[in-house]
Amino acid sequence: MFESRVLPVKNKLFRFAFRLLGSSEEAKDVVQEVFIKVWNGRDQMASIDNMEAWCMRITRNLSLDKIRARQRKATDPIEESFDIQNDSRTPYEATENSENMQRINQLIASLPEKQRQVMHLRDIEGYSYNEICEILELDMNQVKVNLFRARNAVREKFVKINAYGL
Amino acid sequence: MPMDSKEIGQLLEKYWNCETSLEEEQVLRSYFNGPNVPDQLKDAAELFRFFENERQRALSTEFDHNVMQSVKKTESKTKVISMFRWVQVARIAAGVLVMVAAGYFVRNEVLKSKDQSQAITDTFSDPKDALEETKKALMLISKSFGKAKEGAGKINMINEAEQKISGKEKQKETETDSKSI
């Protein structure tokens, strides 16, 4: 049950934690913590209807805890840790990582936390609005407002207005 | 279903306004990851390619193995912790047991002494019997007092005799004195 229901979502959890933390090492730690939590609570697994959303929610909470701990230390600014990611990338990713990709990455990283979370869940992972509500514990209106702001921030800063000549 | 750039432009406009469905977003994604993207849509294409790239990011295959190991490790750790907790619980329970036992014995002793004091006051159920018995007891005491009084009377007689003797001696002394004078 654990291996068939939980392990397959590991990459989604990892990407979400990575989006929030900007460091693949920390993201890995978070995913491991999530699995330990889920494993210890596996007796209650049957009563959870959306296992994946539940895991994503734990991932988010643990990642935010890590960010808060980091801010308390204040020795490890977020910008710095976002640079670390370049070292941890595979050669494949490094070649794919064109200048534009980096610009988009930084642009999304600079978005307010909620906007970044909603955009990640919708545009990268392809979750429905209802699932996003469940994962982020937000209502539909908040999810849509945050997605709208995120997309428009990216559009204004990256995609030239009327560049596609309507 | 191939789409022309105009349709894609319209869909993209819907996308910016958050009016696209997941299916429509999937159409945009596959279009922009395709080969024939016109120049005017290049920036948007970069964004959708970025999304697609990010979706490929994955954990290494050793992760499953590592995570299962660490999961099992924490499980044995929690077992040790729970054993340790049981020992602590047993200690506290033993302490409580001693206290309860001590309390029980003290309470028994207190009850016993209470029973005894009640036994002294409550030997008769009928008040008449109790009165008779009390009278007997008082009579016994009064008889004893009587005997004691008789005894004391005898002591008194001795005293009186002594006084009489000493009185006679004094008289003799005065008689002899007057004779000598």
Side-chain angles (χ1 to χ4, degrees):
Chain A
M1 179 108 132
F2 182 79
E3 272 151 274
S4 64
R5 277 182 73 189
V6 186
L7 277 180
V9 298
K10 65 177 178 173
N11 288 329
K12 284 188 182 180
L13 304 184
F14 171 68
R15 289 193 290 263
F16 192 30
F18 180 78
R19 180 72 43 216
L20 294 170
L21 291 161
S23 144
S24 65
E25 277 311 305
E26 280 188 302
K28 245 187 237 174
D29 289 347
V30 164
V31 177
Q32 208 163 57
E33 277 178 63
V34 172
F35 281 160
I36 289 165
K37 273 203 169 173
V38 173
W39 177 263
N40 290 338
R42 66 190 180 284
D43 302 334
Q44 296 108 49
M45 245 196 242
S47 63
I48 297 159
D49 12 286
N50 194 342
M51 195 67 200
E52 188 177 319
W54 187 65
C55 289
M56 287 293 273
R57 199 159 64 211
I58 299 175
T59 303
R60 171 179 147 263
N61 292 340
L62 290 176
S63 300
L64 295 183
D65 285 350
K66 264 205 156 58
I67 290 170
R68 261 177 243 127
R70 204 198 269 163
Q71 280 165 348
R72 240 177 281 128
K73 274 190 206 159
T75 49
D76 189 13
I78 295 172
E79 283 77 14
E80 229 177 66
S81 58
F82 266 100
D83 289 338
I84 297 168
Q85 103 193 31
N86 294 330
D87 307 331
S88 63
R89 292 206 153 193
T90 63
Y92 162 76
E93 283 173 321
T95 51
E96 278 293 297
N97 203 10
S98 71
E99 206 182 306
N100 274 342
M101 294 289 152
Q102 272 186 9
R103 270 180 63 202
I104 296 169
N105 195 36
Q106 276 164 8
L107 192 55
I108 293 173
S110 70
L111 291 174
E113 211 164 72
K114 266 184 201 159
Q115 293 180 26
R116 190 161 20 123
Q117 288 172 23
V118 175
M119 183 170 234
H120 176 86
L121 294 175
R122 180 73 184 192
D123 287 333
I124 294 171
E125 302 296 352
Y127 281 112
S128 71
Y129 288 127
N130 279 326
E131 285 169 320
I132 297 171
C133 290
E134 202 179 326
I135 293 166
L136 300 180
E137 293 167 295
L138 294 174
D139 61 42
M140 187 64 82
N141 192 43
Q142 283 176 297
V143 168
K144 286 190 169 170
V145 164
N146 278 295
L147 184 64
F148 183 82
R149 287 184 186 154
R151 281 180 181 174
N152 280 281
V154 171
R155 181 193 194 180
E156 272 169 36
K157 287 174 187 159
F158 183 73
V159 182
K160 291 180 211 97
I161 297 161
N162 290 328
Y164 40 90
L166 280 168
Chain B
M1 177 182 72
M3 284 184 118
D4 64 29
S5 59
K6 202 182 168 190
E7 279 175 293
I8 290 294
Q10 283 167 346
L11 209 50
L12 199 54
E13 200 55 42
K14 269 178 85 182
Y15 168 81
W16 297 126
N17 289 322
C18 299
E19 288 159 357
T20 40
S21 67
L22 278 174
E23 291 73 29
E24 287 170 322
E25 284 167 26
Q26 188 49 49
V27 169
L28 285 174
R29 204 194 303 266
S30 44
Y31 176 83
F32 285 123
N33 280 286
N36 306 310
V37 180
D39 277 0
Q40 71 263 32
L41 293 177
K42 252 189 164 172
D43 286 343
E46 288 282 352
L47 181 64
F48 280 87
R49 276 181 209 149
F50 171 82
F51 291 151
E52 193 56 37
N53 265 0
E54 287 299 308
R55 225 224 285 250
Q56 306 304 320
R57 193 189 294 279
L59 284 160
S60 58
T61 42
E62 310 109 69
F63 183 84
D64 284 18
H65 176 69
N66 291 346
V67 86
M68 287 313 288
Q69 267 192 331
S70 64
V71 155
K72 274 163 192 161
K73 216 186 279 171
T74 53
E75 197 176 49
S76 58
K77 220 186 261 175
T78 49
K79 259 184 199 165
V80 170
I81 288 168
S82 61
M83 277 265 284
F84 183 68
R85 262 190 208 146
W86 268 115
V87 171
Q88 279 189 324
V89 167
R91 274 183 188 166
I92 293 164
V96 169
L97 199 70
V98 167
M99 296 281 278
V100 167
Y104 177 74
F105 284 120
V106 168
R107 187 170 155 274
N108 263 7
E109 286 303 310
V110 169
L111 283 184
K112 244 188 229 167
S113 62
K114 256 191 196 166
D115 279 347
Q116 278 172 352
S117 61
Q118 274 173 352
I120 289 166
T121 49
D122 271 0
T123 32
F124 293 94
S125 48
D126 189 0
K128 270 185 188 171
D129 287 349
L131 183 65
E132 284 306 308
E133 196 64 21
T134 313
K135 270 184 182 171
K136 266 187 204 166
L138 288 176
M139 281 302 283
L140 190 73
I141 293 168
S142 110
K143 264 183 196 168
S144 307
F145 267 120
K147 273 183 192 168
K149 216 184 167 184
E150 270 176 46
K154 278 172 190 165
I155 294 168
N156 234 14
M157 269 169 67
I158 294 167
N159 267 351
E160 274 169 28
E162 234 178 44
Q163 270 175 359
K164 275 179 189 169
I165 293 162
S166 63
K168 275 179 187 169
E169 275 177 358
K170 268 182 188 171
Q171 266 184 343
K172 269 182 189 170
E173 270 175 30
T174 44
E175 272 171 26
T176 49
D177 280 352
S178 56
K179 272 179 191 170
S180 62
I181 295 164

